[in-house]
Amino acid sequence: MKRLDRYIIRKFIGTYIFAILLIISISIVFDFNENMAKFATHHAPWRAIIFDYYANFVPYFACLFSPLFVFIAVIFFTSKLAGNSEIIAMLASGVSFRRLMRPYMLSAALIAGINFCLSAYVIPHGNVVRQNFEALYKNKQRITTATNVQLQVGPGIIAYIQQYDNNSKRGYGFSLDKIENKKLVSHMTASTIQYDTIADERFHWRASNYKIRTLRGLREKIETGSEIDTMIMMEPMDLVYSKGQQEQFTSPELLRYISKQQERGSTNVVQYEVEYHKRIATSFASFILTIIGASLAARKRKGGMGMALGIGLALSFTYILLQTISATFAIQANTPPMLAAWIPNILYVFIAYFCYRQAPN
């Protein structure tokens, strides 16, 4: 770490933090102004507004638009350095443009690492609180029921629920079939099935008014009862999907959920795969947009940084738009989720390389 590195890193990180504080502050003002009537209508307490909503609103949107903040920071402070002829002095003293990019990359690595840790492990927990607040006080309707749910809960074990209510964690019209060698060996039915939320173990259900038919060749055994505790390898999250649910899982939880759903033969995991790969791809975007921003803003221009800023903002907004479009295509058009998440980065790598080659030597 030379004095030059510390100087540029300090400028980079300081401008990045300032950009986040400025833009997020403006976003909070507009969001509060838009939702003030809803908060008042639903009698949202100030403590919940501040600590449940906005305390989780800030890190969520800061990470979501982090590539844009990185780009804005690089453009602003690099243009300022170029306008003051500081970059000319650096290059004239024998520092190559490649060497000049080293503190930029170190800063981008620091920001990318922090953003990935936040988006993969910290923010998902906050999203649960924020989305619960929105359901209560912003009147955002959440899907809490499901009908005709059928899924494979184990090898050759098929569960069916005619109607399920996620608020009470109760299902109606339940059946459980066990198949071996393409033959039905057990058939269980129950009028209701209740998930035990206070049990020490997961997958603990309580069936009421049950009947179990066990088939062994031509013999049949029937068992009935009013209530029975049973272990069924499914959870409420497997039965009801609500918009934005994938944002509530940490990255390890996403991997486990995707693996479990794929084993069951479920095809409703594309949005979860896109979310998992997008968290990694968005972190790498900090490097790409840093290279583009530094390459565009490092040249001293007679008219100031207006042209560089305009081109840079257009590229960054196009990147965010392309990221959204590719994710939508992955969900709607069966595009491979990993490819959809990385398409913006793949395209912008070439743009970054072109800008870097055209930068002053």
Side-chain angles (χ1 to χ4, degrees):
M1 293 287 291
K2 304 295 183 181
R3 181 178 298 178
L4 174 64
D5 299 320
R6 292 194 296 270
Y7 178 69
I8 292 180
I9 290 173
R10 187 170 62 250
K11 290 281 188 180
F12 193 154
I13 301 299
T15 310
Y16 173 76
I17 294 175
F18 176 77
I20 287 181
L21 293 177
L22 179 63
I23 297 176
I24 291 297
S25 299
I26 296 172
S27 301
I28 290 175
V29 171
F30 278 98
D31 184 83
F32 182 77
N33 184 61
E34 181 182 353
N35 296 300
M36 184 169 52
K38 294 180 181 179
F39 294 157
T41 302
H42 295 91
H43 306 289
W46 280 105
R47 182 180 179 85
I49 294 174
I50 296 172
F51 294 103
D52 292 348
Y53 183 62
Y54 283 112
N56 297 302
F57 172 94
V58 171
Y60 172 74
F61 282 96
C63 278
L64 182 65
F65 295 106
S66 179
L68 177 61
F69 297 143
V70 168
F71 195 84
I72 291 174
V74 172
I75 285 287
F76 268 100
F77 92 85
T78 306
S79 298
K80 183 68 173 177
L81 295 179
N84 294 336
S85 301
E86 293 181 66
I87 291 183
I88 293 177
M90 295 174 191
L91 298 177
S93 65
V95 176
S96 66
F97 190 75
R98 180 179 179 180
R99 169 64 181 85
L100 185 63
M101 289 299 296
R102 189 170 76 179
Y104 283 89
M105 292 294 99
L106 290 174
S107 303
L110 177 63
I111 293 172
I114 293 175
N115 284 332
F116 176 75
C117 291
L118 288 175
S119 62
Y121 299 101
V122 179
I123 293 177
H125 298 294
N127 286 338
V128 176
V129 179
R130 180 176 59 84
Q131 292 180 7
N132 288 337
F133 176 91
E134 291 177 346
L136 284 173
Y137 301 114
K138 291 182 67 176
N139 199 25
K140 282 196 171 184
Q141 298 296 326
R142 301 181 66 179
I143 299 175
T144 58
T145 61
T147 56
N148 297 323
V149 180
Q150 184 174 9
L151 70 158
Q152 180 174 305
V153 296
I157 303 176
I158 309 298
Y160 172 79
I161 300 178
Q162 185 176 11
Q163 187 174 359
Y164 176 76
D165 182 9
N166 196 48
N167 291 327
S168 61
K169 303 293 189 291
R170 182 185 295 269
Y172 303 88
F174 174 76
S175 69
L176 186 70
D177 294 332
K178 184 177 181 180
I179 301 172
E180 294 179 357
N181 298 324
K182 300 182 180 181
K183 293 183 179 180
L184 181 67
V185 298
S186 177
H187 177 69
M188 173 184 177
T189 59
S191 59
T192 62
I193 186 170
Q194 175 73 48
Y195 186 71
D196 193 346
T197 57
I198 61 174
D200 295 333
E201 299 175 316
R202 297 167 60 196
F203 314 116
H204 190 257
W205 295 82
R206 182 176 292 111
S208 303
N209 299 323
Y210 70 92
K211 177 191 288 187
I212 302 176
R213 297 174 57 197
T214 305
L215 307 174
R216 290 290 182 266
L218 298 178
R219 296 178 179 271
E220 179 180 3
K221 178 184 176 181
I222 299 179
E223 178 186 350
T224 61
S226 59
E227 192 171 87
I228 187 175
D229 291 338
T230 181
M231 298 289 290
I232 304 174
M233 303 300 290
M234 65 180 184
E235 296 179 280
M237 69 173 66
D238 302 327
L239 306 175
V240 176
Y241 169 76
S242 58
K243 185 178 180 181
Q245 181 176 316
Q246 68 275 14
E247 297 175 351
Q248 301 178 5
F249 293 161
T250 63
S251 291
E253 289 172 345
L254 274 175
L255 276 180
R256 288 195 295 268
Y257 183 83
I258 292 168
S259 177
K260 182 173 65 175
Q261 293 299 100
Q262 288 176 340
E263 289 175 359
R264 292 173 173 173
S266 175
T267 58
N268 190 29
V269 294
V270 178
Q271 57 267 36
Y272 296 90
E273 294 179 291
V274 170
E275 176 68 21
Y276 176 78
H277 293 293
K278 187 175 73 173
R279 293 175 183 178
I280 304 173
T282 302
S283 300
F284 275 94
S286 299
F287 297 98
I288 299 172
L289 294 180
T290 295
I291 295 174
I292 296 175
S295 301
L296 289 176
R299 189 187 300 273
K300 185 174 182 179
R301 293 173 172 83
K302 181 179 287 188
M305 68 176 182
M307 180 64 71
L309 182 61
I311 296 174
L313 289 177
L315 287 173
S316 59
F317 280 116
T318 305
Y319 172 85
I320 295 173
L321 178 62
L322 184 60
Q323 192 178 50
T324 304
I325 293 174
S326 62
T328 304
F329 267 109
I331 297 172
Q332 302 293 337
N334 295 324
T335 306
M338 184 175 180
L339 177 62
W342 283 91
I343 280 178
N345 284 1
I346 294 172
L347 294 178
Y348 272 71
V349 160
F350 294 101
I351 298 176
Y353 179 75
F354 174 79
C355 293
Y356 176 77
R357 296 295 296 179
Q358 297 299 317
N361 296 315

